[in-house]
Amino acid sequence: MTNPAIILDTVSLTLQSKAGPVNILHDVSLEVSAGETVGIVGPSGSGKSSLLMLMGALERVTSGRISAFGQDYGNLNEDGLAKFRRENMGIVFQSFHLIPTMTALENVAVPLELAGRADAFDAATEALGQVGLSGRLDHYPSQLSGGEQQRVALARATVPGPAILLADEPTGNLDGSTGALIIDLLFGLQGSSKATLLLVTHDEALAARCSRVVRMADGRIMSDERGSA
Amino acid sequence: MLAWKLARRELRGSLASFRVFLTCLAIGVATIAAVGSITSAINAGLAANGRALLGGDVELRLTHRFAGAEERAWLDAEVGAISEVVSFRGMIGAPSGERALAQIKGVDGPYPLIGTIELADGDVAEALAVRDGVFGAVVEQTMMDRLELSIGDALRLGTNDVELRGVITGEPDRQASGIGLGPRVMVSQEALEGAGLLQPGSLYRVAYRLVLAEGDTAERLRARLDEAFPDAGWRWRDLSDPSPGTSRIVERIGTFLVLVGLASLAVGGVGVSAATRGYLERKTETIGTLKALGASGGLTVAIYLIQIMLLTLMGIVIGLAIGAGVPLLLAPTLRDALPVPADFGVYPVALFEAAAYGLMTALLFGLWPLAMARETPVAVLFRDVVESGRRFPRPIYLLGLFALFAALVGVTVVFSGNVMLGGFFIGGLVAALLAFALVARIIRWFARGLGRRQKITRGRPALRLALSSIGGPGSETSGVMLSLGLGLTLLSTIGQIDANLRGLIAGDISESAPAFFYLDIPSPQKEAFVMAAKKDSAIDRVETAPMLRGRIVKINGEVADPEKIAPEARWMLRGDRGLTYSSTPPEGTTLTEGAWWPEDYTGKPLLSFIEEEGRQMGLKIGDTLTVNVLGRDLSAQIANFREVEWRRMGINFTLVVNPAALQGAPHSHIATVYAAEGEEGRLTRMFAEDFPSAVAIPVRDVIERTKTLIGQLADAVRGASLATILSGFIVLIGVTAAAQRRHLFEAAVLKTLGAEQGTLMRAAVLRYLFLGSAAAALAIGIGALAAWAVMTKVFEAEFAFAAGSALIVGVLGVLATLFTCGFFARRMVAVMPAQMLRARG
Ligand SMILES: Nc1ncnc2c1ncn2[C@@H]1O[C@H](COP(=O)(O)OP(=O)(O)O)[C@@H](O)[C@H]1O
Ligand SMILES: [Mg+2]
């Protein structure tokens, strides 16, 4: 265990719903090393997405602590978290979450622009080339197929060179072969950048491509297997 | 019916998302219904009080003369009852020596035949009677105030004295006597005898109010009268239109305010359209499912059309309730404020008009998104994002839209009763809508282009975000531009016109305006009047002209029929026109065609006519006009046309003839007195002393009153446009709220990508600032254009851009958007990304 990338220390998450508070995660502890690839599997509703949201600092824990590269999320304010994400995280969602009013190129350039990179558009163009979308730079999301949108999202998440990649069922809305292409791209990008990857999926075969598999049920980690691949 | 059942099921629970739809529709309908109800109430009031307003069943009016013995005998024999009233302008002197212009009315014994003259205290017949050898007089409160009178004072009336005995509080036939320049003074006709006020050539009117004999009708009496006295020159008025001036003004203002209400509906239409589109977008999956389950495109449209119709009806009912209810609630206040009788109640026709406008607008604006929803492919269920192939609805719907629009134009023209006004207004509205839609497109295109210019956006992520949010697909740019823009345009137009009208009166006119017109200066006193004026140091200049009045009775030997000439010139034939003679062209006139007669010309009578009205009447050089002057017909040939600069406010006569043509006709003179401001009181007293019969019209007073009137009109219009501005603001909020879900989601994504709160806030402010100022700028431009058209074409004056009014519009536009922005952006900035991203799966 060298150089931990993310540490979760007895993390719990309770959300308010109309029917009252819902306990979504219970005392989850997890330590992920830099460069590791972790598959998170479990039945629907077991809390995988919630866990990923917390690790991506898109949500605050109800109790417990999360830190990444030694930075405790609890010590950062909203802007601090945004800055931290900008510098360290790339996140891919099941529903792509592209910004509909921006072209593919603009979508990919946004994180670089936010980071103040002068070469934002050049780098974005290159990143889109890497995912095979050189011919789609000026298309709006509504003019792209689901697979193409996810490739844009992938390029957007990876272009700043984040140390941590979070992917929440990136193939969930795609057909089989398109999904496979996305996964190959994801692992390819991870491999070249040596980023830490956390991949939520309910595809066991896909999870098996990771160096470590975490199984969840009812908001708890049930098992944590390493190096089976 | 299946569609009905499905529609009702769907609509349940989605009412909340139609708040903007309902509110906008209701506001527009309520405005039109309220205006219509008030107008109808006034018209009903006029009709119900027709006999009292007219003072009888029929009024016959003569100018400059009383009925001859033969005429009077005929009338006495033919009608049930008769009352003779003479009215004219004259000066009233107070014991203090102060003098004021009055609208004097001399009544006979039977007056009033119908209704009662109300005095603050006592009975009018008693008040006017002789007491201790002195006749009585009653006056309006304004006269009491102006001359600081008290009951019992001796009033100077020409060369007679009368005793002030009462204050008039109600005079039902006041309107019938014409809207006068001064307050009313009423005396008995005997009191006027020997006062030297009713001289040949001075302007007075004699009205004979008649009550029909048992079994007679107005038409039959008129026919018999025309047969007995074909050349008497009576002006006939009966109950079919007891107060034509008033009803015309009410009609005009009513029409205009309804159009302003229509503008508010148009803005509401933008809200209707946005709400319908938003609703249908949220129903995309449902529509796909319906289709997958075998529903035809037609059925889909039917289901949603029924829902839109139900909502429309709901909005209309709410609007009608408010529009009919508010005037009823305010009836006591309004009745006091209105100068005419009004019968407040529920007027179905007015409500129907409002409902028709509401229905057509809602359909017009709702049908497009509805027809587009029909094209939703079933595949929407299986793929995340689908572009429907069509950009336009099917031809049948386009046809429907066109028919609806044509119907709206038709209905507007019919209801407004004025093709020009209705047509221009709808045209202007459509043009403004199109302009804003077009500019919205240009702005989006421009924003996209600017966003690509990396030199501009590099290092300015907030600007980039703002630009792509404005320029990208599905942005609210059009909605914001239309809703905000139309409201601001109306405001801007009214502001510009108002400022220009005020400026026109305050500047051009009053600077060069004379202090007085003096009417009815007897010929023998003219020289003395001019001498007196020249001696006084406060008087800069005095101009005089012989003054007669004549009615155009024949054109080229044929009876002059108003129906045969252009409507805008008909008034030329309806009453007396000013007539003078002169050997040279009067000062300030320009001949546009023909030539002036030689100074010593004594041949066949020649005539000079004002150009514009002459053209409208279709007159040419060489045409012969026959003018009835004091009962005598004068035929003269048109020798020239002349242009009159009415803003000079000097003396303008429609007709000028060569001096020889009027040789021997009794006449008085009119004088225009130019004098320093503030000297009016002293000068009035001075002239009154030596020229008791001359009537002073204080021009500055009239200008002041006109300004007040314009101000009141502008306030009424502004009040009605409040509805439009309110609608605009609600639509703006609605459009923004509809876009809010998307902005919240975008903010969440951007935060995920590392955007800080400040960046997002700046982006939102920039976006709204940009849209707000663009809408305001365009509104100012269109408003100025519309105002220019109104000023130059309707008022034939110059247009000056009113920067102050424009500034207000600009500031309001920016404030409105910033307020909306502040209202929504806070949540956008505060949202935790997971909250939004989770909801989307
Ligand atoms: N906004 C929310 N409020 C309350 N409960 C939620 C909310 N979002 C998700 N949940 C619940 O939290 C649990 C975990 O959800 P999630 O993390 O999405 O699971 P997974 O991704 O494994 O399917 C589920 O039971 C879900 O119903
Ligand atoms: Mg999930």
Side-chain angles (χ1 to χ4, degrees):
Chain A
M1 285 249 65
T2 51
N3 210 1
I6 300 182
I7 301 171
L8 283 82
D9 181 11
T10 54
V11 167
S12 294
L13 178 66
T14 305
L15 287 179
Q16 299 301 323
S17 78
K18 274 181 203 139
V22 189
N23 296 317
I24 292 169
L25 295 173
H26 311 269
D27 298 335
V28 173
S29 294
L30 184 68
E31 203 173 308
V32 180
S33 306
E36 238 183 332
T37 54
V38 182
I40 302 174
V41 293
S44 175
S46 56
K48 310 181 294 290
S49 294
S50 304
L51 187 67
L52 211 68
M53 293 276 187
L54 287 177
M55 290 195 280
L58 302 175
E59 182 111 77
R60 296 243 184 220
V61 297
T62 309
S63 69
R65 291 149 67 86
I66 304 182
S67 63
F69 301 118
Q71 174 66 59
D72 189 333
Y73 291 3
N75 294 339
L76 294 174
N77 63 11
E78 276 279 299
D79 282 351
L81 289 177
K83 199 153 170 287
F84 186 77
R85 277 194 297 269
R86 194 159 82 201
E87 285 160 2
N88 300 291
M89 307 265 183
I91 308 174
V92 182
F93 300 92
Q94 180 176 354
S95 316
F96 327 134
H97 288 340
L98 297 181
I99 295 181
T101 53
M102 293 188 189
T103 61
L105 182 64
E106 289 167 345
N107 261 288
V108 178
V110 167
L112 301 174
E113 289 185 285
L114 288 172
R117 287 254 304 259
D119 63 339
F121 279 81
D122 297 334
T125 309
E126 199 189 316
L128 278 168
Q130 277 178 26
V131 297
L133 287 178
S134 301
R136 294 277 191 280
L137 302 185
D138 289 332
H139 285 55
Y140 285 98
S142 59
Q143 299 165 321
L144 297 171
S145 73
E148 287 169 334
Q149 289 190 53
Q150 194 59 302
R151 278 190 273 166
V152 175
L154 212 53
R156 185 177 69 179
T158 53
V159 70
I164 299 170
L165 264 177
L166 304 174
D168 188 359
E169 303 200 40
T171 62
N173 278 358
L174 303 173
D175 62 65
S177 57
T178 314
L181 181 76
I182 293 293
I183 292 302
D184 286 345
L185 274 171
L186 180 63
F187 277 99
L189 289 165
Q190 185 273 331
S192 58
S193 70
K194 296 280 173 281
T196 308
L197 172 68
L198 285 116
L199 171 65
V200 170
T201 178
H202 44 231
D203 181 349
E204 286 289 344
L206 187 50
R209 286 176 70 169
C210 298
S211 61
R212 179 178 171 191
V213 176
V214 170
R215 275 170 218 290
M216 293 191 67
D218 289 334
R220 290 188 175 81
I221 294 181
M222 307 307 288
S223 75
D224 187 352
E225 299 157 27
R226 206 180 293 259
S228 59
Chain B
M1 190 183 159
L2 180 63
W4 170 254
K5 256 195 258 165
L6 289 172
R8 245 193 25 208
R9 198 177 304 157
E10 277 229 70
L11 196 55
R12 248 179 303 163
S14 21
L15 266 185
S17 55
F18 280 103
R19 270 178 303 215
V20 170
F21 185 114
L22 289 173
T23 319
C24 289
L25 203 56
I27 290 177
V29 170
T31 311
I32 297 181
V35 169
S37 295
I38 295 174
T39 317
S40 304
I42 294 175
N43 281 334
L46 290 176
N49 297 289
R51 289 188 89 207
L53 289 171
L54 199 58
D57 295 320
V58 170
E59 186 196 67
L60 291 177
R61 207 154 76 191
L62 289 170
T63 313
H64 315 299
R65 71 177 184 99
F66 285 82
E70 203 186 326
E71 291 165 333
R72 180 64 203 237
W74 188 92
L75 285 175
D76 283 336
E78 293 283 330
V79 304
I82 185 165
S83 158
E84 183 186 76
V85 174
V86 59
S87 51
F88 57 97
R89 282 181 296 239
M91 302 302 282
I92 288 290
S96 63
E98 288 293 324
R99 295 227 150 205
L101 178 65
Q103 204 64 38
I104 301 168
K105 183 162 166 181
V107 301
D108 62 0
Y111 178 87
L113 289 179
I114 308 288
T116 40
I117 300 300
E118 284 163 34
L119 299 185
D121 193 18
D123 171 77
V124 72
E126 266 171 47
L128 299 185
V130 191
R131 228 181 269 166
D132 302 330
V134 182
F135 281 100
V138 290
V139 304
E140 270 182 312
Q141 185 61 43
T142 23
M143 184 59 94
M144 301 288 289
D145 300 340
R146 190 163 303 169
L147 292 179
E148 296 174 346
L149 301 172
S150 42
I151 302 292
D153 278 354
L155 300 182
R156 195 84 185 137
L157 191 59
T159 52
N160 290 0
D161 273 331
V162 290
E163 184 187 340
L164 176 57
R165 300 232 179 98
V167 178
I168 304 171
T169 53
E171 185 192 357
D173 62 338
R174 183 183 165 80
Q175 300 298 325
S177 330
I179 297 163
L181 277 171
R184 164 77 69 230
V185 171
M186 195 186 293
V187 293
S188 72
Q189 282 191 25
E190 289 101 313
L192 294 171
E193 271 163 27
L197 292 169
L198 300 175
Q199 289 176 347
S202 67
L203 175 61
Y204 62 90
R205 285 183 178 149
V206 188
Y208 294 88
R209 274 77 178 271
L210 314 176
V211 171
L212 295 173
E214 196 93 14
D216 201 1
T217 67
E219 292 82 57
R220 270 186 271 151
L221 177 67
R222 188 171 193 176
R224 294 203 305 281
L225 183 72
D226 281 347
E227 205 184 291
F229 305 101
D231 299 320
W234 308 105
R235 296 246 284 145
W236 174 281
R237 201 191 278 173
D238 58 37
L239 292 177
S240 60
D241 196 1
S243 185
T246 314
S247 37
R248 211 164 36 237
I249 290 172
V250 169
E251 213 60 55
R252 283 265 166 87
I253 295 178
T255 301
F256 191 69
L257 293 184
V258 164
L259 290 178
V260 172
L262 206 56
S264 120
L265 262 185
V267 175
V270 174
V272 166
S273 171
T276 309
R277 191 174 323 114
Y279 179 64
L280 292 171
E281 257 163 31
R282 265 171 287 138
K283 291 289 175 184
T284 302
E285 300 227 333
T286 317
I287 296 172
T289 310
L290 279 170
K291 283 194 161 183
L293 295 176
S296 67
L299 179 66
T300 324
V301 171
I303 291 169
Y304 290 97
L305 185 62
I306 289 173
Q307 299 184 40
I308 301 297
M309 292 294 289
L310 280 175
L311 288 162
T312 302
L313 286 183
M314 222 186 305
I316 289 177
V317 168
I318 297 171
L320 289 183
I322 297 172
V326 168
L328 276 179
L329 281 178
L330 295 181
T333 326
L334 285 173
R335 216 175 271 130
D336 285 346
L338 290 168
V340 285
D343 253 358
F344 285 96
V346 175
Y347 289 92
V349 175
L351 300 187
F352 175 76
E353 179 180 355
Y357 280 132
L359 183 68
M360 282 188 293
T361 315
L363 279 180
L364 196 59
F365 282 90
L367 196 58
W368 184 292
L370 207 58
M372 291 308 286
R374 185 200 163 120
E375 308 305 330
T376 306
V378 181
V380 75
L381 296 175
F382 309 114
R383 266 183 278 147
D384 192 57
V385 181
V386 183
E387 282 256 288
S388 114
R390 265 173 194 277
R391 304 205 51 196
F392 291 100
R394 287 163 193 245
I396 174 100
Y397 295 104
L398 285 177
L399 205 70
L401 282 168
F402 184 77
L404 268 171
F405 179 69
L408 184 65
V409 173
V411 167
T412 312
V413 167
V414 168
F415 278 132
S416 69
N418 189 329
V419 181
M420 288 275 279
L421 189 62
F424 269 119
F425 194 87
I426 292 264
L429 210 56
V430 170
L433 268 170
L434 288 180
F436 275 102
L438 183 74
V439 168
R441 281 196 165 226
I442 293 174
I443 286 175
R444 292 177 57 179
W445 171 82
F446 180 73
R448 276 201 298 275
L450 210 60
R452 298 227 170 91
R453 301 284 289 274
Q454 291 172 34
K455 265 203 203 94
I456 293 167
T457 58
R458 182 169 296 153
R460 299 193 184 92
L463 180 62
R464 256 302 311 283
L465 296 179
L467 288 176
S468 60
S469 179
I470 291 170
S475 86
E476 76 262 41
T477 305
S478 305
V480 170
M481 286 295 285
L482 282 170
S483 54
L484 189 65
L486 280 186
L488 289 177
T489 300
L490 196 67
L491 198 67
S492 154
T493 310
I494 295 165
Q496 293 286 339
I497 293 179
D498 186 33
N500 267 281
L501 281 181
R502 279 170 208 261
L504 186 69
I505 294 170
D508 286 22
I509 292 183
S510 49
E511 264 162 43
S512 59
F516 294 103
F517 287 126
Y518 265 97
L519 307 178
D520 296 342
I521 303 169
S523 277
Q525 295 188 343
K526 189 198 98 178
E527 284 311 315
F529 186 94
V530 173
M531 288 304 293
K534 285 198 168 143
K535 258 194 286 176
D536 196 287
S537 61
I539 295 177
D540 306 327
R541 193 153 52 94
V542 55
E543 292 169 5
T544 64
M547 163 93 174
L548 293 92
R549 310 202 48 100
R551 201 156 58 94
I552 301 170
V553 289
K554 287 179 187 164
I555 300 173
N556 288 330
E558 297 211 11
V559 173
D561 182 358
E563 302 304 316
K564 283 189 189 146
I565 63 170
E568 62 268 29
R570 283 185 190 153
W571 62 275
M572 290 292 295
L573 299 182
R574 290 231 163 92
D576 284 322
R577 305 269 70 89
L579 171 68
T580 191
Y581 58 83
S582 176
S583 53
T584 54
E587 228 180 290
T589 60
T590 327
L591 292 192
T592 55
E593 203 188 335
W596 204 264
W597 41 84
E599 274 200 41
D600 49 1
Y601 179 79
T602 51
K604 261 176 50 182
L606 290 177
L607 180 70
S608 171
F609 204 85
I610 43 175
E611 198 221 356
E612 194 182 345
E613 281 75 8
R615 294 248 175 285
Q616 287 170 347
M617 290 169 67
L619 299 177
K620 312 177 295 299
I621 300 277
D623 282 350
T624 303
L625 291 190
T626 305
V627 185
N628 186 290
V629 185
L630 296 172
R632 211 192 74 185
D633 278 355
L634 163 72
S635 291
Q637 223 178 25
I638 298 178
N640 62 62
F641 286 106
R642 94 202 111 82
E643 196 172 55
V644 170
E645 206 189 325
W646 67 268
R647 269 177 298 155
R648 260 185 84 247
M649 284 210 61
I651 313 170
N652 288 321
F653 293 93
T654 309
L655 303 155
V656 183
V657 297
N658 61 306
L662 281 171
Q663 200 92 63
H667 64 267
S668 60
H669 288 259
I670 177 171
T672 320
V673 178
Y674 296 83
E677 218 170 325
E679 295 284 335
E680 288 89 346
R682 187 183 62 78
L683 291 174
T684 316
R685 283 193 298 277
M686 179 185 95
F687 284 119
E689 204 86 358
D690 300 328
F691 311 96
S693 67
V695 171
I697 297 175
V699 177
R700 290 192 184 103
D701 266 17
V702 177
I703 290 175
E704 242 1 273
R705 254 182 298 156
T706 313
K707 259 195 257 186
T708 313
L709 198 70
I710 289 181
Q712 283 166 346
L713 259 178
D715 286 345
V717 174
R718 222 175 264 132
S721 37
L722 209 65
T724 309
I725 289 153
L726 190 65
S727 283
F729 198 60
I730 289 172
V731 176
L732 175 66
I733 293 197
V735 167
T736 317
Q740 176 70 355
R741 273 161 47 101
R742 224 193 49 232
H743 287 308
L744 282 174
F745 161 73
E746 279 178 22
V749 173
L750 288 167
K751 283 184 177 180
T752 304
L753 299 178
E756 287 158 66
Q757 290 179 330
T759 311
L760 293 176
M761 195 69 196
R762 272 199 303 281
V765 170
L766 272 176
R767 181 174 73 229
Y768 281 102
L769 214 54
F770 196 76
L771 292 181
S773 35
L778 190 58
I780 291 168
I782 297 181
L785 195 71
W788 169 83
V790 169
M791 288 311 294
T792 55
K793 306 290 175 236
V794 179
F795 292 100
E796 296 187 358
E798 268 154 44
F799 169 75
F801 181 72
S805 155
L807 191 72
I808 293 174
V809 171
V811 168
L812 272 181
V814 171
L815 278 186
T817 37
L818 281 185
F819 174 82
T820 320
C821 168
F823 193 71
F824 288 107
R826 253 180 321 151
R827 236 199 99 198
M828 196 181 81
V829 165
V831 71
M832 268 312 264
Q835 253 174 297
M836 285 313 295
L837 301 179
R838 214 185 255 288
R840 291 232 175 173

